[in-house]
Amino acid sequence: MNNVSSRSVSRREFLGTVAAVGATVGITFPQLSHAAQSGEIPIGLELYSLRDQCKTDLPGMLAAVSKIGYKGVEFAGYHGRTAKELRKMLDDNGIVACGTHTPYESVLGDKLKETVEFNQAIGNKFLIVPSMTARSKQDWLAKAKLFNELADKVKSAGMWVGYHAHAHDFQKVEGETAWDIFCSNTRPDVILQLDTSNCADGGADPVAVLKKYPARTRSIHIKPHGAGPEAVIGEDKLDWKEIFAFCEGPGKTDWYVVEHETSKDPLDTVKRTYDALKKLGKV
C-alpha cells in the first residue's frame, strides 16, 4: 500500500537512519533542464524507490537510473556519502539532483546552514521536508510560519523549501485539512510537493487538490494508485491526463519525480514506469 502508515519502514525512519550532513562548499549548481527552457518537464526519480539497492550499491543505481533515461534524482538519505562524492557520481552519470527529502530537524536552527551547504555542493536547490505531524490547527499555522521564514533564509542561496504530502495531511484538523491549513498560509515560493498516491490514500482527489494551488507545484511525485503493487503510471486509476495538464500549465512544474514503493523488482519497475511515460508522450 502507498499509505505511509502501512510501510514496514517509513520514510521518516529511513531518513533518520541514513541521512548524513556534510559541509562541502564552493561548487556551483548545474544547469537544470526546465520546462520553460526545453518545452517539456524533465523526469526525475525519487531514490526511495530503490532504497534497499542504494544502501548496497549507490553508484550502480545512479548509473542504472541514468541509463534508463532519467534526468535527475531526488535523494532520500545519502548512505554515508559526502557531498563531494555524491556530486561526482551525479556528474559522472550526466544527471542532476532534482531535490532532496531532508528531515524536518535538518532545517531547524543551526542545522539549516549545514543543510544549505551540503545541497549547494551536490547541486540541489529544492529542499523538501518529507513529513510533518501536528495536533492542532495552531501547530500547523506555526509550521507554515516557519516555512515562510525558511523560504526567506534560503532564497539568497538560490534555493526553495517545500513540503511533501502524505495521507495524513488530508485528514481534517478543526474542520480543515492539514494540507489546506499549511498551503493557504505559506508564501507562493514555498513548494507544495503533492504525492499523487498519498493524496488519494488520504481520501482526496489529486486533481482537485492541485487546482486549489496554482503555480505552487514546482516538483510533484507522480505515483500510481489503486491497481496493485506492480502497476505503473497509466495502469492505475488516477486521472493522469488532468494531472499532466495541470503541471504543464497552471502548476508551473519544473520536475516530474517518479516514485514507486511497492514492487518486488524495484529497478525493473522504475524502467517500466519510464517506458510508460514515453508512451504517454512525457519523454
Side-chain angles (χ1 to χ4, degrees), residues 18-194:
V18 301
V21 177
T24 306
V25 295
I27 302 176
T28 59
F29 288 109
Q31 182 65 41
L32 300 183
S33 176
H34 294 301
Q37 297 168 330
S38 66
E40 64 180 29
I41 297 172
I43 311 294
L45 177 71
E46 165 55 62
L47 289 177
Y48 190 77
S49 307
L50 302 171
R51 54 198 175 277
D52 293 331
Q53 293 77 11
C54 286
K55 286 179 186 178
T56 57
D57 186 14
L58 180 60
M61 288 302 101
L62 292 178
V65 168
S66 174
K67 185 176 180 180
I68 290 169
Y70 287 92
K71 301 301 183 185
V73 292
E74 182 178 71
F75 287 97
Y78 308 114
H79 307 284
R81 308 285 181 155
T82 66
K84 186 176 181 180
E85 289 170 334
L86 293 173
R87 181 61 178 267
K88 185 176 188 305
M89 284 185 244
L90 293 171
D91 290 347
D92 286 349
N93 287 290
I95 53 177
V96 300
C98 62
T100 58
H101 271 197
T102 187
Y104 178 68
E105 295 77 11
S106 74
V107 298
L108 300 179
D110 294 339
K111 288 290 185 182
L112 178 63
K113 181 176 182 291
E114 296 177 16
T115 299
V116 166
E117 289 174 348
F118 189 96
N119 281 274
Q120 282 179 316
I122 67 172
N124 172 53
K125 66 178 187 176
F126 289 171
L127 306 176
I128 308 296
V129 173
S131 182
M132 297 189 295
T133 57
R135 294 186 177 183
S136 67
K137 181 175 182 178
Q138 192 58 44
D139 288 343
W140 278 110
L141 288 171
K143 283 181 166 54
K145 181 175 182 291
L146 170 66
F147 274 67
N148 288 335
E149 294 167 354
L150 290 171
D152 260 339
K153 291 177 180 179
V154 304
K155 187 175 181 179
S156 63
M159 292 184 180
W160 285 262
V161 67
Y163 179 52
H164 173 80
H166 278 297
H168 67 263
D169 295 312
F170 301 97
Q171 305 307 306
K172 289 192 174 181
V173 179
E174 300 174 34
E176 195 174 1
T177 68
W179 185 254
D180 282 337
I181 296 169
F182 179 83
C183 297
S184 61
N185 288 282
T186 44
R187 299 162 25 150
D189 55 346
V190 173
I191 296 171
L192 306 179
Q193 191 187 61
L194 192 74

